[in-house]
Amino acid sequence: IEAEVERRKQLIHQSVERKAIILKSYKRKHPEVYLLQESFLAPEFLEIVRYCRSPDAHLHGLLCYIESFSDKRIYRLPVFTEEFCQAFVDELENFEQSDMPKGRPNTMNNYGVLLNELGMDETFITPLREKYLQPITALLYPDLGGTCLDSHRAFVVKYSLHEDLDLSSHYDNAEVTLNVSLGKDFTEGNLYFGDFNQDPSPVPKYVEVEHVGAQGLLHRGGQIHGALPIASGERWNLIIWMRSSAIRNQLCPMCNKKPELVEAEGFGDGFTETLEDDVPETVNLCSLW
């Protein structure tokens, strides 16, 4: 355990070093995909966002635009155009085949790309979260900080027959997760969803949801889920763990304890430190006697 704790402490420093090397030396194949443009987004997705921004928008109205699965608050919606997905995957494969240093997306996936190291956080993921996803999550997940998702961790994972085939049951270090299927051609490999991590049942009931190209699944980060094995081909998925400091500052979603913070570069794990100006004044009762 001590060795793993020490390893994790070094992750942020190693990531900063890799990002600097990539920024200096990596030759981008499709530089246009690094800057978010509305032309990358599916027309149906833009229509959903327009509705959510309207003053009379409400949850039941939004559910007319998107697919809902069971009572687990899992939703599927179009996100990107197929043309963008093809260009994005081509860029990711170009990076993967380069001699650039690469970090693991997380402790469970061995193949994929950390998008902050690739230089996509500020110009792509942040505006996607703030401008387009937050109006949607505000209606779907207001109890999970859907109106104030102020940070994220974004990465791409790859599944293929000779690498990672599937992903076992887990829950995310996030309040809300977006999982978009970017392609390529694959069969099977559906996602499955069980209980919310705080509400285990003796006999979990799993819901299976098909991955559809260029479409995304929105779900609560704490929802137990996994990916079944693909049977053929190769699949790339964009994963965005969206976090609300207002929620997680009260209770860490991974250990269910009051967080004890250490400084981190960038978004860290999405926690923020309460500024002294925000701390309520206290009164020394002894001095009043």
Side-chain angles (χ1 to χ4, degrees), residues 76-87:
R76 183 165 61 198
L77 69 165
V79 180
F80 298 119
T81 65
E82 291 187 7
E83 293 75 16
F84 167 76
C85 290
Q86 291 172 1

Side-chain angles (χ1 to χ4, degrees), residues 23 33 47 64 72 82 91 140 164 181 189 210 233 254 276 281 286:
L23 179 63
V33 305
E47 185 179 356
C64 296
K72 297 183 183 294
E82 291 187 7
E91 176 66 31
L140 295 177
D164 285 341
S181 177
E210 181 184 0
M254 304 307 286
E276 290 185 10
E281 291 187 12
C286 295

Side-chain angles (χ1 to χ4, degrees), residues 126-256:
T126 293
L128 178 65
R129 168 175 53 81
E130 293 180 343
K131 189 175 180 181
Y132 298 97
L133 294 173
Q134 193 155 282
I136 300 173
T137 60
L139 292 178
L140 295 177
Y141 307 105
D143 54 322
L144 296 172
T147 58
C148 51
L149 296 170
D150 51 3
S151 70
H152 62 260
R153 176 179 172 85
F155 51 93
V156 174
V157 296
K158 184 178 75 165
Y159 298 92
S160 68
L161 294 181
H162 303 294
E163 296 176 341
D164 285 341
L165 276 177
D166 55 11
L167 188 62
S168 58
S169 296
H170 65 284
Y171 57 90
D172 300 336
N173 186 358
E175 275 63 69
V176 180
T177 295
L178 174 67
N179 183 334
V180 183
S181 177
L182 300 171
K184 305 161 67 174
D185 293 326
F186 61 91
T187 57
E188 300 190 25
N190 290 347
L191 263 64
Y192 61 90
F193 294 87
D195 298 311
F196 197 69
N197 68 342
Q198 295 172 344
D199 303 310
S201 63
V203 184
K205 296 181 180 179
Y206 287 95
V207 174
E208 203 171 309
V209 182
E210 181 184 0
H211 253 316
V212 178
Q215 297 199 18
L217 293 170
L218 276 169
H219 62 86
R220 296 175 293 177
Q223 194 84 46
I224 298 290
H225 61 285
L228 296 171
I230 62 169
S232 66
E234 184 176 293
R235 186 177 80 215
W236 291 80
N237 286 71
L238 167 65
I239 314 292
I240 307 179
W241 289 351
M242 294 180 280
R243 295 156 167 173
S244 169
S245 60
I247 298 294
R248 60 183 40 226
N249 284 352
Q250 301 174 44
L251 203 66
C252 172
M254 304 307 286
C255 67
N256 291 321

Side-chain angles (χ1 to χ4, degrees), residues 38-49:
E38 283 206 345
S39 60
F40 298 164
L41 304 173
E44 300 90 344
F45 178 75
L46 293 173
E47 185 179 356
I48 292 169
V49 175

Side-chain angles (χ1 to χ4, degrees), residues 26-98:
Y26 175 60
K27 184 174 176 58
R28 296 173 175 179
K29 185 175 182 179
H30 296 282
E32 69 279 3
V33 305
Y34 288 76
L35 179 64
L36 180 64
Q37 303 174 45
E38 283 206 345
S39 60
F40 298 164
L41 304 173
E44 300 90 344
F45 178 75
L46 293 173
E47 185 179 356
I48 292 169
V49 175
R50 279 193 292 271
Y51 172 77
C52 293
R53 290 174 182 164
S54 63
D56 56 347
H58 53 82
L59 175 60
H60 294 297
L62 171 57
L63 294 181
C64 296
Y65 290 87
I66 62 179
E67 291 183 77
S68 177
F69 296 91
S70 76
D71 60 348
K72 297 183 183 294
R73 301 172 72 185
I74 306 161
Y75 307 99
R76 183 165 61 198
L77 69 165
V79 180
F80 298 119
T81 65
E82 291 187 7
E83 293 75 16
F84 167 76
C85 290
Q86 291 172 1
F88 189 25
V89 170
D90 196 36
E91 176 66 31
L92 294 167
E93 290 181 323
N94 183 68
F95 175 74
E96 187 185 50
Q97 292 161 10
S98 74

